[in-house]
């Protein structure tokens, strides 16, 4: 038996950042990871997906370079080399996480950890104790009980699709959320005929209603079947009911199941520990405390926001409150309503805060404006004047406080942090209008939208 100040169960983004922060503060930390450091995001999620997306975008831009006076000739891509690049990037980043933990003095154990109650975790048959335990067991893909889907060799989850040997001629994506849209964009740029089947009436349900159709318009090579419910899958044949009630079938070599992820709340001891949880996740407050003393939960396992950057912040908040019980008084909490999201498709789309519809539903009288992409000189220079894109700003009509900012177009994911700062600091419309933004940048669309609001 060994004793630590803090034991962290799970080495994904939330777990490893919490370990670093606490370790650098001089505490004795044990980080337990069953597979590879970095969790789903680094190994089979965010990072490998972005490496392949970047390669596909490079190919796509070269293929269509004639629009800009660049003729690249006979363009081709090499899937094996793309996969090798992906593996190299992932491998080096995983090693980097390990090096960071070592610099912070964190003890890392590879093995399946079991939470045995407050202050106690067992790994590989050995029990370890600590004053604090942080649960960071992550999430797993949702596999809905669609008849025959489990028996179909054509059906894969996102992890399986990242490892396929060759680019398919046809791909069916079940689910039009973030994961579905990124893979649809990736493979359509490589020439795959992609069909997205979404049960809801629109893709990416948390996107502002004016942006979602623009994203679909920007992906003309993808067929979207909205309001459709998959009834069964037989090999590569996907049977579904349309919004009008008719029965249809479409086929592909590969079928991606991308209907979401679920918190992993089973298999590590939650059931017998007295921990408050459900299938929706472990219950936490804004300081990441659970119902058990000195037991904390962060990241996807909470079910609050299944995003790696949210896990980072959760890890930092938990670490700060462990190191200083009064940390919450200086703002070390998670503000759930100011968590940004991004889809790294071509084009990108990102947002923070609430949508216009959500604001109205919450009782706000709102003022909004959207600046189309071509109002940015850089956007026009790089995309032309017909490409879908733009920025939308939503403010409360009475207080003029900024409630939400949403962006569609190149660099959207990179610029959204500025919008987060606007909401974090509770700026109003007049404050936002005074922010100086470099010219020419796509970010100027946010300023254009702010000035377009009639207030």
């Amino acid at each position: 038996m060994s004793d630590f100040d803090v034991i962290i169960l799970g080495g994904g983004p939330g777990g490893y950042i919490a370990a670093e922060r606490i370790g650098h503060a001089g505490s004795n930390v044990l980080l337990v990871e069953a597979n590879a450091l970095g969790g789903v995001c680094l190994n089979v999620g965010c990072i490998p997906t972005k490496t392949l997306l970047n390669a596909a975008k490079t190919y796509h831009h070269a293929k269509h370079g004639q629009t800009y006076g660049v003729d690249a000739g006979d363009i081709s891509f090499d899937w094996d080399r793309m996969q090798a690049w992906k593996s190299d990037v992932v491998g080096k980043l995983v090693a980097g996480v390990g090096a960071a933990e070592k610099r912070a003095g964190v003890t890392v154990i590879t093995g399946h950890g079991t939470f045995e109650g407050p202050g106690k975790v067992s790994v590989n048959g050995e029990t370890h104790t600590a004053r604090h335990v942080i649960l960071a067991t992550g999430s797993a893909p949702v596999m809905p009980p669609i008849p025959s889907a489990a028996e179909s060799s054509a059906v894969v989850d996102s992890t399986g699709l990242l490892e396929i040997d060759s680019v398919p001629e046809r791909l069916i994506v079940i689910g039009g959320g973030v994961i579905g849209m990124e893979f649809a964009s990736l493979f359509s740029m490589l020439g795959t005929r992609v069909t997205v089947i979404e049960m809801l009436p629109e893709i990416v349900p948390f996107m502002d209603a004016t942006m979602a159709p623009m994203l679909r318009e920007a992906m003309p090579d993808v067929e979207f079947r909205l309001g459709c419910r998959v009834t069964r899958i037989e090999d590569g044949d996907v049977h579904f009911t349309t919004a009008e009630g008719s029965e249809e079938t479409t086929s592909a070599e590969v079928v991606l199941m991308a209907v979401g992820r679920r918190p992993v709340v089973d298999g590590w001891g939650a059931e017998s520990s007295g921990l408050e949880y459900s299938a929706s996740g472990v219950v936490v407050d804004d300081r990441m405390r659970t119902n058990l003393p000195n037991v904390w939960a962060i990241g996807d396992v909470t079910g609050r926001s299944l995003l790696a950057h949210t896990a980072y912040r959760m890890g930092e908040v938990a670490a700060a409150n462990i190191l200083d019980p009064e940390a919450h008084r200086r703002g070390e909490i998670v503000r759930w309503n100011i968590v940004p999201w991004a889809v790294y498709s071509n084009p990108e789309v990102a947002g923070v805060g609430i949508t216009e519809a959500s604001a109205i539903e919450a009782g706000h009288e709102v003022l909004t404006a959207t600046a189309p992409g071509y109002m940015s000189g850089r956007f026009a220079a790089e995309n032309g004047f017909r490409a879908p894109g733009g920025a939308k700003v939503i403010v409360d009509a009475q207080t003029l406080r900024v409630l939400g900012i949403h962006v569609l177009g190149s660099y959207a994911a990179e610029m959204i942090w500025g919008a987060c700062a606007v909401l974090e600091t509770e700026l109003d419309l007049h404050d936002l209008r005074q922010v100086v933004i470099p010219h020419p940048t796509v970010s100027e669309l946010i300023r254009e939208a702010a000035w377009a609001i009639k207030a």
Side-chain angles (χ1 to χ4, degrees):
M1 179 180 290
S2 53
D3 187 54
F4 294 86
D5 296 315
V6 181
I7 298 175
I8 302 173
L9 194 57
Y16 75 70
I17 205 71
E20 285 183 48
R21 298 290 186 266
I22 298 170
H24 279 303
S27 295
N28 191 15
V29 183
L30 171 64
L31 179 61
V32 181
E33 170 54 45
N35 299 302
L37 288 175
V40 168
C41 175
L42 177 48
N43 292 279
V44 292
C46 319
I47 302 304
T49 306
K50 304 311 169 283
T51 60
L52 295 178
L53 270 166
N54 180 67
K57 289 176 182 179
T58 301
Y59 171 71
H60 178 81
H61 292 155
K63 189 176 179 180
H64 296 278
Q66 292 179 340
T67 301
Y68 313 101
V70 179
D71 190 345
D74 187 17
I75 293 296
S76 63
F77 66 87
D78 187 323
W79 181 251
D80 289 339
R81 289 170 64 186
M82 289 169 63
Q83 290 279 32
W85 170 252
K86 177 199 73 175
S87 298
D88 183 59
V89 169
V90 169
K92 288 178 178 175
L93 288 176
V94 170
V97 172
E101 300 306 316
K102 186 175 181 180
R103 287 194 298 272
V106 175
T107 300
V108 178
I109 295 180
T110 301
H112 181 78
T114 300
F115 175 60
E116 297 184 350
K120 189 178 294 186
V121 171
S122 64
V123 190
N124 302 331
E126 184 177 359
T127 299
H128 305 274
T129 59
R131 176 169 174 76
H132 296 273
V133 174
I134 300 177
L135 305 171
T137 55
S139 63
V142 170
M143 295 298 286
I146 298 173
S148 302
E151 292 76 38
S152 172
S153 60
V155 175
V156 297
D157 59 17
S158 57
T159 301
L161 189 56
L162 284 169
E163 299 299 329
I164 59 174
D165 295 330
S166 60
V167 174
E169 290 186 10
R170 288 291 314 271
L171 170 67
I172 297 171
V173 178
I174 300 176
V178 174
I179 296 172
M181 293 308 299
E182 289 188 354
F183 277 110
S185 182
L186 163 63
F187 284 98
S188 66
M189 285 189 288
L190 297 179
T192 299
R193 293 174 57 198
V194 179
T195 299
V196 174
I197 301 176
E198 169 57 52
M199 183 175 65
L200 297 176
E202 190 52 273
I203 59 171
V204 194
F206 48 80
M207 190 186 306
D208 193 89
T210 59
M211 293 285 186
M214 292 169 63
L215 179 57
R216 287 191 286 107
E217 180 188 351
M219 300 172 64
D221 296 329
V222 177
E223 178 186 13
F224 290 95
R225 305 302 305 270
L226 305 178
C228 296
R229 182 184 296 273
V230 176
T231 55
R232 69 183 189 281
I233 301 174
E234 297 172 339
D235 296 323
D237 297 329
V238 177
H239 304 267
F240 59 96
T241 302
T242 69
E244 296 74 28
S246 62
E247 299 289 335
E248 293 190 19
T249 302
T250 187
S251 303
E253 302 99 278
V254 180
V255 178
L256 170 64
M257 197 67 73
V259 297
R261 300 183 64 84
R262 62 170 183 84
V264 176
V265 293
D266 54 345
W268 49 264
E271 303 90 341
S272 57
S273 65
L275 188 68
E276 184 180 357
Y277 76 98
S278 68
S280 298
V282 175
V283 177
V284 294
D285 62 10
D286 58 7
R287 293 161 64 180
M288 311 318 301
R289 299 176 300 181
T290 71
N291 65 305
L292 298 179
N294 295 333
V295 178
W296 314 70
I298 61 177
D300 288 6
V301 72
T302 68
R304 296 298 300 268
S305 175
L306 277 64
L307 299 167
H309 50 269
T310 315
Y312 281 141
R313 182 58 186 154
M314 292 179 183
E316 291 172 340
V317 167
N321 282 278
I322 286 172
L323 295 169
D324 176 9
E326 298 300 311
H328 65 287
R329 299 189 185 278
R330 61 173 190 271
E332 290 291 354
I333 60 173
V334 177
R335 286 172 281 278
W336 304 105
N337 61 325
I338 312 177
V339 173
W341 56 267
V343 183
Y344 298 84
S345 51
N346 185 28
E348 295 179 355
V349 59
V352 64
I354 55 179
T355 64
E356 180 179 357
S358 297
I360 294 172
E361 185 178 349
H364 293 278
E365 180 185 351
V366 299
L367 297 173
T368 73
T370 300
Y374 61 75
M375 292 187 72
S376 157
R378 184 175 185 185
F379 183 96
E382 296 183 358
N383 301 278
F385 290 86
R386 295 184 178 179
K392 182 173 183 177
V393 174
I394 303 155
V395 303
D396 182 277
Q398 302 301 318
T399 65
L400 296 185
R401 179 178 170 183
V402 180
L403 301 175
I405 298 177
H406 306 270
V407 184
L408 172 68
S410 47
Y411 319 113
E414 293 295 335
M415 73 173 76
I416 203 63
W417 77 270
C420 295
V422 170
L423 271 69
E424 282 276 4
T425 53
E426 300 184 358
L427 299 187
D428 65 19
L429 180 62
H430 298 306
D431 297 322
L432 176 56
R433 286 174 172 175
Q434 294 177 50
V435 175
V436 179
I437 299 175
H439 175 78
T441 61
V442 181
S443 299
E444 289 178 286
L445 290 174
I446 295 175
R447 187 172 181 272
E448 292 287 351
W451 277 101
I453 293 175
K454 305 300 182 182

